[in-house]
Amino acid sequence: MRATRGAARGYILVAVVGALCCVFPVLRTGAEIPWFTLALLTGLYLVCELPGRFPFFGGSVPISAGSFFPLLLAAAFLLPPAAAALVAVPGSLVGRVEQPPAAARRVWRAAQLAVTVWAASTVHALLGGTAALGGTGTGPDLPYAILPACAAALVFSLVLTALDGSILVVAERLPPGRAWGGLLSRSLGPHLVHGLAGLMMAVLWRGPYGPLSALIVLLPMYISCWVFAQYHREHAAHRATIRALVQAVDIKDTYTRGHSERVGRASVIIARELGMEKDRLEVLRFAGILHDVGKLGVPTRVLRKDGPLTPEERQVIELHPEYGHEIVRGIGFLGEARAAILHHHERLDGSGYPYGLRGREIPEFARVVAVADAFDAMTSTRSYRRGRPVPAALEELKRCAGTQFDPQMVRALVRGLERHGWSAVTAGVTADEPPADGGGAETLRPQAGPARVPPPGRGAPCHRPPQGGTGRMPPARSPRDGTGRPARTQSPGPQPPADRRR
């Protein structure tokens, strides 16, 4: 909630009244409540939520919403609905809150979980789940006990999703489709797993070992939660590193702002058509996003120069792949992306740079990024020319396939764009997942208005050398590539990719 608006406060108040109605039967005189079980489960949930409030634990203990839902579902299986609703209240009121207003969020969370657990416990009781759990001297009625447990977990997921979406509509003023879109599909599977874990805890609780058995379920659950939290924390650190590098490049070379992320997206489209594994696909996305990070080592006056480049300035520009490789060399999680950053301007015919590699000598990631880079360079509108329509850019890539680009990668891009289309809108580099497709069916078109005549050297990938030039690329003196191999001097040959800003 950006702020606790009047409508949001009213909605939270309604949820609190609903929660009080759910727990009211516990307060009646003569209510048969297993107080020991209620107190123990409430205390366990409170202890599970407390570490997130303390700085000593905050950096290493994974406390997040949903971490201990199996405990709440075990309470729904073991206790009457009114008593089960109470279990989540103390822990929710003291749990960690990521964003302000903290008090309103805690009250909302306590009321939301109380209503949700009450609904799950009610369905479980109506389906005979309490009797199916067995007790002292009798075993659980398996496999029937699984049915009411799964039904309760389903209701738990439905009610929680409905309440989560409704507060977004009221407090954040999101459209209903956006507020609820995808919530249930993302949460249903995990909640069913939580229900089975809660059932196991409830069966052990009713068994000969009693409440102590809860620790048998809680401990491995907590360890697995910690492992996943560590993974997500590391992944977030990776994204932060990528974001910082891309922002630095965009600040220095505003000419190509947004280009890096679009190249990352186009690279993912190609990789999906090639059937790459998911872990390699993510690294390839990083390669596309960071392919121009070496521009940080190129003087700003050269990057932003309006007129044609001198041979000496072209030499400097053509060092950016090696500068990029040096910058990311120590970033271990980039893996194959480092080779793509170094070699994305190589050409199949050997006339590229920095090492003049040929054919399969060029790493696969570099061949993918080269196609994605050229495609976005052609379809993007620049200060000196209009962007080409997507079909025209694809025709140019096909024409250059076999000499400059790998034909397999070009065909993969064509298939991917035919299936998903292409949009100029880019997703942020901090997104958890790369877009599943091309980002929409909207085709990128050139902007309206007269186009400037491009200065020499700024054309399509296979254009001829600038007029007055020699058709050769000057020798590039550059650092070693990290393997001890020095840069090779380019021999005369076709002009490398002519858009010097890519």
Side-chain angles (χ1 to χ4, degrees), residues 34 125 209 248 267 281 416 430 457 481:
Y209 298 102
S267 298
L281 186 147
T430 57
D481 66 355

Side-chain angles (χ1 to χ4, degrees), residues 34-347:
W35 292 105
F36 176 76
T37 300
L38 172 60
L40 196 53
L41 286 170
T42 302
L44 280 173
Y45 189 73
L46 178 63
V47 168
C48 289
E49 293 286 353
L50 273 177
R53 293 293 302 277
F54 296 100
F56 177 77
F57 293 105
S60 58
V61 176
I63 303 298
S64 61
S67 296
F68 301 104
F69 280 172
L71 187 56
L72 296 182
L73 285 163
F77 303 155
L78 290 167
L79 296 170
L86 275 175
V87 171
V89 174
S92 300
L93 290 176
V94 303
R96 183 171 64 180
V97 174
E98 299 290 345
Q99 301 173 1
R105 288 179 181 275
R106 291 192 179 102
V107 171
W108 162 254
R109 189 66 174 166
Q112 177 192 34
L113 288 179
V115 172
T116 301
V117 175
W118 177 87
S121 182
T122 300
V123 169
H124 185 261
L126 289 175
L127 293 177
T130 305
L133 291 177
T136 305
T138 61
D141 183 10
L142 294 175
Y144 177 75
I146 298 175
L147 175 62
C150 288
L154 176 61
V155 170
F156 184 94
S157 185
L158 289 172
V159 174
L160 193 64
T161 298
L163 293 174
D164 276 337
S166 62
I167 194 63
L168 291 176
V169 171
V170 175
E172 300 284 353
R173 298 179 181 175
L174 292 180
R178 184 178 170 190
W180 276 290
L183 277 180
L184 184 60
S185 61
R186 291 194 301 268
S187 61
L188 183 57
H191 288 162
L192 288 175
V193 174
H194 292 163
L196 294 176
L199 175 63
M200 181 170 63
M201 185 183 297
V203 169
L204 292 173
W205 192 293
R206 288 281 187 91
Y209 298 102
L212 183 63
S213 62
L215 297 178
I216 299 176
V217 178
L218 280 177
L219 186 59
M221 180 181 67
Y222 192 74
I223 291 174
S224 64
C225 180
W226 181 85
V227 170
F228 278 111
Q230 292 297 99
Y231 167 77
H232 287 295
R233 188 174 292 115
E234 181 181 359
H235 198 62
H238 294 173
R239 294 197 305 272
T241 302
I242 301 298
R243 182 177 66 248
L245 291 171
V246 171
Q247 286 176 342
V249 174
D250 283 348
I251 290 171
K252 183 160 187 175
D253 187 14
T254 56
Y255 167 88
T256 56
R257 187 178 297 275
H259 168 69
S260 297
E261 292 187 34
R262 291 193 299 271
V263 172
R265 247 182 54 224
S267 298
V268 168
I269 291 175
I270 296 172
R272 290 185 189 278
E273 292 299 320
L274 296 175
M276 281 192 187
E277 297 176 359
K278 186 175 181 180
D279 55 345
R280 294 189 73 214
L281 186 147
E282 180 71 1
V283 176
L284 178 58
R285 178 172 174 252
F286 289 156
I289 291 172
L290 292 176
H291 73 286
D292 274 343
V293 70
K295 288 181 177 179
L296 293 175
V298 177
T300 305
R301 63 175 177 79
V302 176
L303 288 175
R304 299 186 181 182
K305 184 176 179 181
D306 289 330
L309 297 176
T310 66
E312 292 75 17
E313 289 169 337
R314 182 175 293 280
Q315 274 189 299
V316 173
I317 282 282
E318 288 168 355
L319 288 176
H320 80 269
E322 291 167 288
Y323 290 147
H325 183 262
E326 291 296 318
I327 290 171
V328 303
R329 177 186 291 181
I331 304 178
F333 69 85
L334 288 178
E336 293 180 82
R338 295 193 293 268
I341 292 168
L342 178 62
H343 296 296
H344 70 278
H345 278 300
E346 304 284 4
R347 295 169 55 124

Side-chain angles (χ1 to χ4, degrees), residues 426-478:
T426 56
V429 296
T430 57
D432 286 338
E433 293 293 336
D437 52 42
E442 179 186 357
T443 300
L444 182 66
R445 298 292 180 186
Q447 297 177 2
R452 294 173 52 187
V453 177
R458 296 178 181 172
C462 293
H463 277 190
R464 293 174 295 181
Q467 295 297 323
T470 63
R472 304 183 185 185
M473 186 180 71
R477 295 183 180 88
S478 56

Side-chain angles (χ1 to χ4, degrees), residues 259 262-264 266-267 269-271 274 284 291 343-346 348 362-379 393-394 396-398 400-402 404-414 417 422 461 497 502:
H259 168 69
R262 291 193 299 271
V263 172
S267 298
I269 291 175
I270 296 172
L274 296 175
L284 178 58
H291 73 286
H343 296 296
H344 70 278
H345 278 300
E346 304 284 4
L348 254 64
I362 305 172
E364 182 183 23
F365 275 20
R367 285 180 273 131
V368 172
V369 172
V371 172
D373 184 21
F375 171 74
D376 184 70
M378 287 189 287
T379 55
L394 294 179
E396 183 70 14
L397 290 174
K398 292 176 185 177
C400 299
Q404 180 172 353
F405 304 115
D406 187 332
Q408 182 184 14
M409 309 308 174
V410 174
R411 289 193 296 268
L413 179 63
V414 172
L417 295 182
W422 179 253
R502 287 198 349 249

